[in-house]
Amino acid sequence: MNEFELINRFFKASLEDHRVLLGIGDDAALIAPIDGNVLAVSTDTLNEGRHFFSDVPPFTLGHKVMAVNLSDMAAMGAVPRFALLSGSLPDADFDWLSAFSRGFFALASKYRVSVIGGDTTRAAQGGRSFTVTIIGDVPEALALKRSGATTGDDIWVSGTIGDAALALRAMHNDLCWDAPDLARLRARLETPSPRVELGMALRGLASSAIDVSDGLTGDLSHVLKGSGVGATVFLSALPADPVLLKCLADEKTRSLALSCALAGGDDYELCFTAPPENRAAIAALSTTLNLRLSRIGVITDSQKLTVVDEQQNPISPLPASFHHF
Amino acid sequence: MNEFELINRFFKASLEDHRVLLGIGDDAALIAPIDGNVLAVSTDTLNEGRHFFSDVPPFTLGHKVMAVNLSDMAAMGAVPRFALLSGSLPDADFDWLSAFSRGFFALASKYRVSVIGGDTTRAAQGGRSFTVTIIGDVPEALALKRSGATTGDDIWVSGTIGDAALALRAMHNDLCWDAPDLARLRARLETPSPRVELGMALRGLASSAIDVSDGLTGDLSHVLKGSGVGATVFLSALPADPVLLKCLADEKTRSLALSCALAGGDDYELCFTAPPENRAAIAALSTTLNLRLSRIGVITDSQKLTVVDEQQNPISPLPASFHHF
């Protein structure tokens, strides 16, 4: 199968968006902007052996490759519209690619994202690598930047935190749980739900936002640095899976649980800040979206991040976040 | 060095474009479209061991990674504006990355392309891989698509064809030449010149265009298929380096030379079609741009591609083009 057959078979979904003036099959795609909006553009790479296991089910990997990019749009309050998918592959495994593309396009279709381009190449050395570039719409004034947090703002997080990291630990056999617990957490790792609807609904409500991809404290630190502020986060307010809560309460597993909750990446929840007067609106949003939204801390003028434990003592040092290098 | 330090040190160039509303450092960049234009978007991946040698000088590789993407903008008649650079790296080699980024940004700066995002990841397995997504502007009606060629149009190509493939052969020791010849051809392989100015100037003159990245006959075939036409190309009209012409004239090397000229990729010249009444304008353009533009054939209604040799006999079979798989 050559590159063009691969693209035609797996990566060329039907284009329904009238803004796609020219799709896959030319030197570049042509897309029409929307008056009054600017374009949000982001890219993310997932590498075999680094971001995913070699034996990950290809359908879930296809989902995740799209999900992590949708999550960046969510974190900007942008509507995802267009994506380009590049895959470096050591071989052309028909069954594997078929399942991968089904997972990828199922999630793309859910959010009506048109795949407008890509590049399929052979990786002469090493494993699979996927890079997606995603493009979305947002009115400039409503974009959720990392620089908008101010002293006194609440800090919020969606869903539960640390699930994906906990699943990773379990799959590495650091821990042993019941099968239903493991399946639930593993789904959080392998098929994360990008919070696209939340991001769009937070326009005008949140003062800043980021997605939790590298770990809560690390990602929140980017907001603090971007906004020139500090924060206090309350461990007892962190929304967590029952398994994580149990691990936190057990001295033997507390350190691991703290690491998952505070520094575990890959959850793709949104961490955002908002002025206290928006609490009711955010609570209402939680109901509307059927999505847990938890107030976990407050922005301070201290220029540093403090996480306090159940006894209000600062946790020091904080667990280290995921580093790509 | 972690991901953020890497990005800050190597991949965060100064942003001067007022249309970059938010650059590297948030979940996504924000860019402003231009009224009346649409956006051309394309992505290209280069993998170690497949698209470049492990020992390629990093400065020239940085140049080439940007050049192949600029070439896609040229082939659409688009003005390149924004780029996202993703690198999967087995290690953080300071000197190597420094030279790579100098090559990359030198060419980006030449065309005033703002680097607005990227992702730096560790490749757990295998060699380096770079994916660039490039975004440019073009008025929709003037975009150079692959579908616009009509019977009777001339077929043109810029520069010389087959140089990069010939250099590859020499580096593989299939051939032995004088050092100056090898240096000239190797520069064509390693530091190709994207024909951005030509692409923009062909707006309104050319009926279709494509860049010669995978080989002349293969790339021209995409135009023929996209336009529903055929073509006759005259081998004697192909613009080629003196070394290639010498190889063509020598029975021992003719087959190799034919393969380089007709199916050699990586030249990043433009192949375009235009109605005969535009010949004078295209000749004038050649002078203005100081760039050789050669009329190599004609579009026919035959639905197939024929290349005729010096005696006007069809060459059959045609050499096979570069396949990514």
Side-chain angles (χ1 to χ4, degrees):
Chain A
M1 207 182 307
N2 70 30
E3 184 195 11
F4 306 106
E5 289 162 348
L6 264 183
I7 289 171
N8 277 321
R9 191 182 294 263
F10 295 117
F11 294 154
K12 203 167 173 177
S14 63
L15 298 168
E16 292 169 20
D17 189 336
H18 68 281
R19 292 171 58 198
V20 179
L21 307 172
L22 188 64
I24 289 177
D26 214 303
D27 294 287
L30 296 178
I31 56 172
I34 291 184
D35 282 351
N37 277 7
V38 300
L39 294 163
V41 191
S42 177
T43 192
D44 261 312
T45 297
L46 297 188
N47 293 332
E48 182 173 338
R50 182 75 185 166
H51 304 99
F52 60 90
F53 294 116
S54 298
D55 61 354
V56 67
F59 182 91
T60 67
L61 182 62
H63 172 101
K64 186 159 179 175
V65 166
M66 176 49 75
V68 303
N69 280 277
L70 288 168
S71 182
D72 283 320
M73 293 292 99
M76 294 305 291
V79 186
R81 292 291 190 195
F82 314 106
L84 300 96
L85 168 63
S86 296
S88 296
L89 308 167
D91 50 50
D93 178 334
F94 184 94
D95 292 339
W96 195 96
L97 281 170
S98 174
F100 175 90
S101 66
R102 277 188 283 112
F104 184 85
F105 281 106
L107 191 57
S109 299
K110 179 178 174 185
Y111 289 104
R112 301 185 183 202
V113 170
S114 299
V115 178
I116 58 169
D119 194 10
T120 315
T121 55
R122 185 183 284 273
Q125 310 160 12
R128 296 179 173 99
S129 173
F130 295 96
T131 297
V132 168
T133 299
I134 193 158
I135 302 175
D137 299 312
V138 64
E140 185 188 358
L142 298 178
L144 305 176
K145 303 177 186 175
R146 296 181 180 179
S147 55
T150 53
T151 303
D153 278 356
D154 294 324
I155 303 169
W156 296 80
V157 76
S158 64
T160 51
I161 290 292
D163 304 12
L166 205 56
L168 255 188
R169 299 301 185 101
M171 291 163 78
H172 280 142
N173 297 317
D174 287 359
L175 297 164
C176 187
W177 304 315
D178 295 344
D181 287 340
L182 183 54
R184 183 178 68 250
L185 293 169
R186 189 169 168 168
R188 291 274 294 153
L189 173 69
E190 294 186 344
T191 51
S193 300
R195 302 306 186 188
V196 176
E197 299 86 353
L198 174 61
M200 288 161 55
L202 287 175
R203 293 176 179 181
L205 283 180
S207 52
S208 74
I210 192 168
D211 69 328
V212 182
S213 54
D214 294 341
L216 180 63
T217 53
D219 288 321
L220 179 55
S221 293
H222 295 311
V223 171
L224 303 183
K225 195 175 170 196
S227 302
V229 294
T232 300
V233 167
F234 305 99
L235 181 66
S236 56
L238 281 195
D241 188 273
V243 174
L244 184 53
L245 292 176
K246 205 161 64 180
C247 290
L248 265 181
D250 183 337
E251 206 175 313
K252 290 197 300 294
T253 51
R254 181 168 170 87
S255 164
L256 180 149
L258 272 180
S259 172
C260 291
L262 297 176
D266 256 7
D267 284 320
Y268 301 99
E269 297 295 346
L270 294 189
C271 176
F272 57 97
T273 59
E277 57 264 33
N278 290 346
R279 282 179 195 172
I282 292 169
L285 192 56
S286 172
T287 306
T288 309
L289 297 177
N290 192 25
L291 175 64
R292 186 168 171 183
L293 299 176
S294 307
R295 191 152 49 84
I296 63 166
V298 64
I299 295 294
T300 66
D301 57 7
S302 71
Q303 306 291 321
K304 61 178 187 153
L305 171 60
T306 305
V307 182
V308 298
D309 66 13
E310 298 84 344
Q311 286 75 42
Q312 309 305 311
N313 296 316
I315 297 171
S316 180
L318 289 171
S321 272
F322 179 77
H323 276 180
H324 293 278
F325 267 94
Chain B
M1 206 182 310
N2 70 29
E3 185 195 10
F4 306 105
E5 289 162 347
L6 264 183
I7 290 172
N8 278 320
R9 192 182 293 263
F10 294 116
F11 294 154
K12 204 167 172 177
S14 62
L15 300 169
E16 291 168 20
D17 189 334
H18 68 280
R19 291 170 58 198
V20 179
L21 308 170
L22 188 64
I24 289 176
D26 214 302
D27 293 288
L30 297 177
I31 57 172
I34 290 184
D35 282 352
N37 277 8
V38 300
L39 293 164
V41 191
S42 176
T43 193
D44 260 312
T45 297
L46 297 189
N47 292 333
E48 182 173 338
R50 183 76 184 166
H51 304 96
F52 59 90
F53 295 116
S54 298
D55 60 355
V56 68
F59 182 91
T60 67
L61 181 63
H63 172 100
K64 185 159 180 176
V65 166
M66 174 50 74
V68 303
N69 281 277
L70 288 169
S71 182
D72 283 320
M73 294 292 99
M76 295 304 292
V79 186
R81 292 293 190 193
F82 314 106
L84 300 95
L85 167 63
S86 296
S88 296
L89 308 167
D91 51 49
D93 179 333
F94 184 94
D95 291 339
W96 196 96
L97 283 169
S98 174
F100 175 90
S101 65
R102 277 187 284 113
F104 183 86
F105 281 107
L107 191 56
S109 299
K110 178 178 174 185
Y111 288 103
R112 301 184 182 202
V113 170
S114 298
V115 178
I116 59 169
D119 194 11
T120 315
T121 54
R122 186 182 284 273
Q125 309 161 12
R128 296 178 173 101
S129 173
F130 295 95
T131 297
V132 167
T133 299
I134 193 156
I135 303 174
D137 300 313
V138 65
E140 185 189 359
L142 298 180
L144 305 176
K145 303 176 186 175
R146 296 181 180 179
S147 55
T150 53
T151 302
D153 279 356
D154 294 324
I155 304 170
W156 296 80
V157 76
S158 64
T160 51
I161 290 292
D163 304 13
L166 204 56
L168 256 187
R169 298 302 184 100
M171 292 163 77
H172 280 140
N173 297 317
D174 287 357
L175 296 166
C176 187
W177 304 316
D178 294 344
D181 286 340
L182 183 54
R184 182 179 68 252
L185 293 168
R186 189 169 169 169
R188 291 274 295 153
L189 173 69
E190 294 186 345
T191 51
S193 300
R195 303 305 186 189
V196 176
E197 298 86 352
L198 174 61
M200 288 160 56
L202 287 174
R203 293 178 180 178
L205 283 180
S207 53
S208 75
I210 193 168
D211 69 328
V212 183
S213 53
D214 295 341
L216 180 64
T217 52
D219 288 321
L220 178 56
S221 294
H222 295 311
V223 171
L224 302 182
K225 194 175 172 197
S227 302
V229 293
T232 301
V233 167
F234 306 99
L235 181 66
S236 56
L238 281 195
D241 188 274
V243 173
L244 184 53
L245 292 177
K246 204 161 66 180
C247 291
L248 265 181
D250 184 338
E251 205 176 312
K252 291 197 300 294
T253 50
R254 181 169 171 87
S255 165
L256 180 149
L258 272 179
S259 172
C260 290
L262 296 176
D266 256 9
D267 284 321
Y268 301 100
E269 296 296 344
L270 293 189
C271 176
F272 57 97
T273 59
E277 57 265 32
N278 289 346
R279 282 180 195 172
I282 292 169
L285 193 56
S286 173
T287 306
T288 309
L289 297 176
N290 191 25
L291 175 64
R292 187 169 171 181
L293 298 176
S294 306
R295 192 153 49 83
I296 63 166
V298 63
I299 294 293
T300 67
D301 57 7
S302 71
Q303 307 289 321
K304 62 178 186 151
L305 170 60
T306 305
V307 182
V308 298
D309 66 13
E310 297 85 343
Q311 286 74 43
Q312 309 304 314
N313 297 316
I315 297 171
S316 180
L318 288 172
S321 272
F322 180 77
H323 276 180
H324 293 279
F325 267 93

